[in-house]
Amino acid sequence: MKALPGDMRASVHGPIPPGRFWGYYTGPEIAELAQDPNATAVLNIGAVEQHGPHLPTITDTLNGMHLLGAALARLPDDAVVLALPPTNLGKSEEHRDFAGTLSLRGETLRMLMLDIACSVARSGFRKLVLLGSHGGNVGAIDDYFRDLRIETGMRVFKIHSGGLGSVPGLIAPEESAVAMHSGDSETSVVRYLAPELVHMDRAEGYLYETNPLIGYSFKGQDVIEAWVTSDLAPTGAIGNPHLSSVEKGEKLFEAGAARLAELLEAVYRLPPRAIHLAARG
Ligand SMILES: [Zn+2]
């Protein structure tokens, strides 16, 4: 990958290693990178939405981009895997009652993914990874990523960051059963990545009653109720942020980054699709 100077003045790449940021290449350079049949583009689909009184609204984009940056930094130099400029906004309709939330509707997010995917395909890339770093984007990505494969002919993959950084025993079972937003794990990660943006003195989380049959995010239940955040937490924080720590955040983040690097390299190295004829009778 391109070696860019360490003392760059451009800073649009944020936590992405500069040599792996799509936007720092010229058009002809992108066309040249696309000559690698395995060249892979990764789109982080984040969110800007309320995260209770103690975390910043950019939390999900921040966590996603830092995770992607740390994963890309671990990839071997020969792997042509580039981060696209992210979609900072996502589908955050569940948080629309709270100030600070900037939400796309599902249709808008799907069209955004389609336009970006078509553009990546026109540039010659044949693999696209959608990295979702916000729970509210999961449905739209799950529902639509196959359409992107059909519309563009590229191989399209989805990874949801929510399931990547789990460290056995780190988060108490009572907390992981209910925490969905600004609770222990998410607060811990932001305290690790950007402590200056966290206000623990204002933190006020909520725990809703659990039901063995009916839940809110498929944590062991088969029936899921449609919810908006104000149904579950008046402050907008669902879970217990007071259990959080910088040390937990570091463990979760590093585990997630290592796993994401492994997954991105596996996507990049994936050999051409082989379809085998079933044995003839
Ligand atoms: Zn979040």
Side-chain angles (χ1 to χ4, degrees):
M1 302 299 305
K2 192 178 198 170
L4 286 160
D7 59 346
M8 297 181 50
R9 293 185 65 179
S11 59
V12 189
H13 58 287
I16 304 298
R20 293 195 175 276
F21 185 62
W22 178 286
Y24 286 169
Y25 287 91
T26 64
E29 286 172 336
I30 291 288
E32 199 181 313
L33 288 168
Q35 294 300 311
D36 178 341
N38 286 326
T40 302
V42 187
L43 177 67
N44 179 223
I45 305 175
V48 176
E49 58 185 32
Q50 73 81 23
H51 270 76
H54 67 291
L55 293 183
T57 51
I58 196 79
T59 290
D60 293 353
T61 298
L62 176 109
N63 289 353
M65 289 305 280
H66 277 268
L67 193 70
L68 178 55
L72 291 175
R74 291 169 195 239
L75 291 187
D77 209 43
D78 72 304
V80 179
V81 182
L82 293 186
L84 296 161
T87 73
N88 287 327
L89 307 188
K91 182 172 181 288
S92 301
E93 297 295 79
E94 67 275 31
H95 300 295
R96 59 189 289 163
D97 299 341
F98 293 83
T101 299
L102 304 176
S103 180
L104 304 179
R105 279 170 286 192
E107 306 89 281
T108 313
L109 180 55
R110 286 193 289 276
M111 291 306 102
L112 192 63
M113 289 191 284
L114 178 61
D115 284 345
I116 294 171
C118 288
S119 304
V120 169
R122 277 197 301 268
S123 296
F125 276 56
R126 289 174 229 177
K127 292 180 184 174
L128 172 67
V129 178
L130 307 173
L131 173 64
S133 61
H134 158 54
N137 292 336
V138 170
I141 294 172
D142 286 358
D143 172 48
Y144 203 56
F145 83 125
R146 182 173 291 103
D147 296 66
L148 298 182
R149 179 248 173 275
I150 293 166
E151 293 287 338
T152 66
M154 282 190 296
R155 296 183 82 162
V156 179
F157 307 83
K158 65 179 163 99
I159 299 173
H160 293 299
S161 70
L164 285 183
S166 62
V167 179
L170 199 64
I171 304 296
E174 314 83 74
E175 168 73 358
S176 50
V178 296
M180 289 192 286
H181 193 68
S182 306
D184 182 2
S185 55
E186 193 170 43
T187 302
S188 294
V189 172
V190 185
R191 287 178 71 176
Y192 171 58
L193 293 176
E196 67 282 7
L197 302 180
V198 183
H199 311 280
M200 284 310 294
D201 54 320
R202 301 182 211 154
E204 201 180 336
Y206 279 83
L207 305 176
Y208 52 86
E209 289 299 314
T210 51
N211 181 304
L213 296 180
I214 300 165
Y216 302 98
S217 64
F218 290 113
K219 293 188 176 182
Q221 300 95 346
D222 287 332
V223 181
I224 301 301
E225 181 185 359
W227 54 274
V228 292
T229 306
S230 50
D231 294 334
L232 304 180
T235 61
I238 310 168
N240 185 358
H242 297 291
L243 300 171
S244 68
S245 70
V246 177
E247 294 71 29
K248 276 188 199 175
E250 180 174 7
K251 283 188 183 137
L252 289 167
F253 181 80
E254 295 302 330
R259 181 68 175 150
L260 181 57
E262 194 182 347
L263 300 176
L264 291 177
E265 186 169 357
V267 166
Y268 173 77
R269 306 258 178 238
L270 203 60
R273 187 187 302 284
I275 301 176
H276 303 283
L277 191 67
R280 290 175 204 269

